[in-house]
Amino acid sequence: MWDEKVIQMIIEGIGETMYMTLVPTFLGYVLGMPLGILLTVTDKDGIRPNAGIYKVLDFLSNIFRSIPFLILLILLIPLTRMIVGKSYGSNAMIVPLTIAAAPYIARMVESSLKEVDHGVIEAAQSMGANTMTIVFKVLLMEARTSLITNATIVTATILGYSAMAGTVGADGLGAIAVRYGYNRYQPDIMIVTVILLVLLVQIMQGIGMMLSRHFDRRRTR
Amino acid sequence: MEPIIKIVDLHKDFKQKDMDVHALKGVNLNIYKGDIYGIIGMSGAGKSTLVRCLNFLERPTGGSVFVDGRDLASLTEKQLREARKDIGMIFQHFNLLMQRNVVDNVCFPLEIAGMKKRDARKKAMEYLEIVGLSEKAKAYPAQLSGGQKQRVAIARVLASDPKILLCDEATSALDPQTTKSILQLLKEINQKYGITIVVITHEMAVVQEICSHVAIIDKGNLVEHGTVEEIFQAPKSREAKKLIYQGYEKVAEMKGKRCVRIVFHENSSFEPVIGNMVLAFKAPVNILYANTRDLDGVAKGEMILQLPEDLELGDKMITYLKNAKLSVEELEDYVG
Ligand SMILES: Nc1ncnc2c1ncn2[C@@H]1O[C@H](COP(=O)(O)OP(=O)(O)OP(=O)(O)O)[C@@H](O)[C@H]1O
Ligand SMILES: [Mg+2]
């Protein structure tokens, strides 16, 4: 049964899994990064405290993060249909995956940016820096290693979600594992897909750590 | 002459859940161009709050701060950011950008001011030269010592040509030797560029080293101010005395016996006063503490002497010391 067809299917599965991981992660950052910055800036110790904006964003991101992914996926089926035209397959999964990723990413970005030493922000303020300068030249630059490390964690999480989406009609390695391991009880194919998933996470982790170290100038040599 | 910094009835309350903290309770102070003004006080006295009100990093809850004649409270956000470019600040923990190298750190305020990258680099290198760190231009802050970091911070602050430099405990994280060299650098900056400097510290030694004037702040009140000479020779308030005497704590045995503190200054006699006094009275005195330096050929500094038990002899000695143009003060109420 390890014929060409199965191997072909697994190779396609890797491609689909990567697609369902990287595209929602990217789109998630497009939405989540500004939210994370807003959460940092408008918090009460932030550079432009605004309790109203902070509370709304805080509430929304907590709501979305507390809905289990599979349930969110089902709840979003009408929206997914509207955007993609159908509710199954890798393209359709981009919608719920992005919407699950964005608030999670916003929180990750917020926690990275809040690690930046308050004294450095104050020094920038004392030089007459405006909010934009502080966000782009101080917060994001000083927090970059933490942002990259967290992006690695985010990517691995989204990969896990994409595999979960396999149970309800997505493609990718997760779907293969479910189809063969659960429905047809062919554990060997399931084990191979699981090993591949683990390898993917390992590779992304490795790349993330390498980048993060490459951009860190805080080491003594 | 108009003061470059005029502080009028300045109040700052911090509202907290359970209670309000009155960090400043009506401070008045004038600082003139070219002064090196020390602000000294115990921990929690309100020193940092006061200096942070001078560039509105902290907004006062009452009173006004005038810088160069302009009321900071009347400025728009944008005007305030412009005004801050004239008021540099250095910090106890340096606050450098850790992900930028030294020269790019110095370029930062120039970028904020919109200067072209090449011009900014050139100017940054000039200021690194001034603080003696040209060869570290490409190093990152994590690779520097504390003193070197503070030099970078000073170069960074000079790069924007400030009129005023605020220093909040700028030497408190440094060892005595490095402290001296940083204070020396600040003094040079003051003399060379005429920058007015406000120095926050809890160490009298820092004030003695570089300040022309000093204000003593205690529990949010400004209790005494004047030239360093005046305050140092004849402190009036309890708090001033306490701060000036804080260095003597090692001298435990002076408690209960008759002690005097004498101060040498410009007008003091050149002769070896103490030696001559001992010879004249044929009675020994005990030097409990001495901190004197030779400044331009004149002894400056202070000493604590333990006088003989004999009251009359002690009085005569005090008169002798006063005649030698020393400031003399009995330390009855001092408990170490
Ligand atoms: N942001 C703040 N919120 C609440 N209270 C504050 C705040 N900043 C300062 N305080 C309080 O104001 C008072 C003065 O603090 P400040 O930092 O000015 O003292 P300091 O003289 O600089 O002390 P130190 O020598 O320890 O630095 C203290 O009681 C402090 O707890
Ligand atoms: Mg302080």
Side-chain angles (χ1 to χ4, degrees):
Chain A
M1 73 174 208
W2 281 104
D3 52 24
E4 208 140 299
K5 248 179 79 189
V6 172
I7 292 171
Q8 185 62 28
M9 173 184 73
I10 288 180
I11 289 173
E12 270 170 28
I14 294 176
E16 282 152 1
T17 292
M18 292 299 287
Y19 176 71
M20 282 192 293
T21 304
L22 298 181
V23 174
T25 304
F26 174 77
L27 294 176
Y29 267 94
V30 170
L31 294 173
M33 190 83 145
L35 289 177
I37 293 171
L38 267 176
L39 279 166
T40 312
V41 167
T42 58
D43 195 7
K44 56 181 185 304
D45 311 317
I47 49 177
R48 284 200 160 248
N50 185 322
I53 296 180
Y54 184 83
K55 282 204 185 105
V56 170
L57 293 180
D58 181 52
F59 180 73
L60 284 178
S61 75
N62 284 346
I63 293 274
F64 274 97
R65 282 185 316 138
S66 50
I67 304 175
F69 175 66
L70 273 183
I71 300 193
L72 184 72
L73 191 155
I74 294 163
L75 284 175
L76 287 173
I77 283 176
L79 180 74
T80 308
R81 277 228 179 86
M82 222 172 72
I83 297 175
V84 188
K86 56 179 187 175
S87 63
Y88 53 89
S90 9
N91 274 329
M93 285 308 117
I94 301 289
V95 176
L97 284 169
T98 301
I99 289 178
Y104 175 52
I105 289 169
R107 283 300 183 192
M108 288 297 229
V109 168
E110 181 192 10
S111 94
S112 293
L113 298 187
K114 282 186 174 167
E115 284 169 23
V116 174
D117 180 7
H118 197 73
V120 180
I121 298 167
E122 213 153 64
Q125 285 175 321
S126 78
M127 294 173 212
N130 61 23
T131 307
M132 282 299 169
T133 307
I134 294 177
V135 167
F136 287 103
K137 295 200 165 180
V138 180
L139 290 178
L140 291 175
M141 289 311 276
E142 288 293 291
R144 62 190 184 188
T145 53
S146 165
L147 286 168
I148 295 170
T149 310
N150 280 348
T152 313
I153 299 171
V154 167
T155 314
T157 308
I158 305 300
L159 185 109
Y161 284 179
S162 83
M164 237 192 277
T167 55
V168 288
D171 303 319
L173 292 176
I176 296 171
V178 172
R179 213 176 315 141
Y180 285 82
Y182 184 74
N183 298 344
R184 300 193 196 167
Y185 209 75
Q186 289 188 347
D188 46 353
I189 294 189
M190 184 179 71
I191 287 168
V192 169
T193 54
V194 169
I195 291 173
L196 284 172
L197 284 170
V198 170
L199 274 177
L200 283 180
V201 170
Q202 286 295 328
I203 291 169
M204 287 190 291
Q205 186 89 4
I207 293 174
M209 289 306 149
M210 208 180 66
L211 284 175
S212 145
R213 185 141 353 137
H214 175 74
F215 284 109
D216 193 0
R217 298 292 138 77
R218 289 169 303 181
R219 287 162 305 141
T220 43
R221 60 191 64 249
Chain B
M1 195 171 69
E2 267 292 296
I4 189 163
I5 302 174
K6 189 176 173 70
I7 303 167
V8 183
D9 194 28
L10 195 69
H11 286 263
K12 176 73 192 183
D13 298 343
F14 289 106
K15 296 226 180 310
Q16 289 185 317
K17 282 190 203 86
D18 37 352
M19 58 158 190
D20 288 1
V21 180
H22 304 292
L24 298 175
K25 303 169 187 164
V27 172
N28 290 289
L29 191 66
N30 287 337
I31 297 174
Y32 291 89
K33 189 173 178 339
D35 286 355
I36 303 187
Y37 217 113
I39 294 175
I40 185 169
M42 299 288 173
S43 184
K47 308 180 293 290
S48 296
T49 308
L50 177 59
V51 79
R52 290 158 53 80
C53 283
L54 300 185
N55 59 1
F56 266 41
L57 278 182
E58 207 79 79
R59 267 185 190 268
T61 43
S64 333
V65 176
F66 297 87
V67 173
D68 243 349
R70 285 205 299 178
D71 183 354
L72 291 187
S74 72
L75 304 182
T76 63
E77 286 255 350
K78 192 156 186 270
Q79 289 171 324
L80 180 61
R81 285 200 299 270
E82 282 306 312
R84 278 178 178 162
K85 290 174 188 168
D86 283 340
I87 312 171
M89 190 166 191
I90 58 175
F91 305 83
Q92 178 172 2
H93 298 296
F94 325 120
N95 296 348
L96 300 176
L97 295 159
M98 299 302 280
Q99 303 286 9
R100 281 185 177 224
N101 67 19
V102 164
V103 63
D104 288 341
N105 260 285
V106 181
C107 283
F108 188 44
L110 302 172
E111 281 171 31
I112 293 173
M115 190 184 274
K116 279 210 207 85
K117 203 169 170 94
R118 274 186 53 176
D119 299 342
R121 287 220 156 207
K122 193 158 159 272
K123 199 165 175 197
M125 286 308 298
E126 283 167 24
Y127 282 101
L128 282 177
E129 181 83 50
I130 291 169
V131 300
L133 272 183
S134 320
E135 77 279 18
K136 294 281 185 193
K138 289 273 185 283
Y140 284 86
Q143 299 162 328
L144 303 180
S145 71
Q148 289 171 330
K149 282 183 208 167
Q150 198 60 291
R151 281 171 189 274
V152 176
I154 291 172
R156 178 172 75 172
V157 92
L158 288 180
S160 48
D161 294 322
K163 292 182 185 148
I164 297 167
L165 174 55
L166 308 175
C167 311
D168 190 356
E169 305 270 9
T171 56
S172 297
L174 305 175
D175 63 64
Q177 207 53 44
T178 315
T179 294
K180 265 211 155 84
S181 73
I182 294 291
L183 294 178
Q184 196 51 44
L185 179 62
L186 291 177
K187 208 169 180 171
E188 279 168 31
I189 288 165
N190 168 260
Q191 281 161 4
K192 205 154 140 194
Y193 304 100
I195 298 176
T196 308
I197 304 184
V198 179
V199 177
I200 301 288
T201 181
H202 59 269
E203 290 170 290
M204 198 63 196
V206 170
V207 170
Q208 269 177 272
E209 190 77 29
I210 61 165
C211 292
S212 58
H213 294 74
V214 60
I216 290 136
I217 181 164
D218 182 60
K219 300 192 190 78
N221 294 303
L222 203 148
V223 291
E224 200 171 340
H225 65 99
T227 66
V228 171
E229 295 283 86
E230 280 164 19
I231 306 263
F232 192 66
Q233 280 166 31
K236 293 188 199 76
S237 61
R238 240 191 102 74
E239 289 75 23
K241 289 183 185 172
K242 215 162 136 191
L243 282 162
I244 289 172
Y245 305 156
Q246 72 187 351
Y248 314 154
E249 271 159 37
K250 306 152 222 160
V251 194
E253 67 267 48
M254 67 192 264
K255 279 185 229 171
K257 303 228 174 109
R258 194 174 186 196
C259 297
V260 291
R261 169 173 178 268
I262 58 178
V263 181
F264 299 84
H265 44 89
E266 278 95 355
N267 304 325
S268 306
S269 170
F270 281 94
E271 54 177 301
V273 183
I274 309 296
N276 288 353
M277 178 178 78
V278 170
L279 288 176
F281 291 98
K282 306 245 180 327
V285 294
N286 204 359
I287 298 178
L288 294 181
Y289 175 91
N291 176 19
T292 54
R293 283 166 301 157
D294 197 350
L295 270 185
D296 307 326
V298 184
K300 272 187 107 170
E302 53 184 331
M303 253 184 212
I304 293 187
L305 300 182
Q306 192 175 40
L307 301 179
E309 299 279 343
D310 185 341
L311 271 183
E312 209 178 312
L313 182 58
D315 287 342
K316 279 187 188 151
M317 283 184 165
I318 290 175
T319 316
Y320 182 94
L321 291 169
K322 281 185 176 158
N323 287 341
K325 300 253 170 48
L326 300 177
S327 301
V328 186
E329 182 190 8
E330 283 211 52
L331 294 177
E332 297 144 357
D333 59 342
Y334 179 68
V335 187

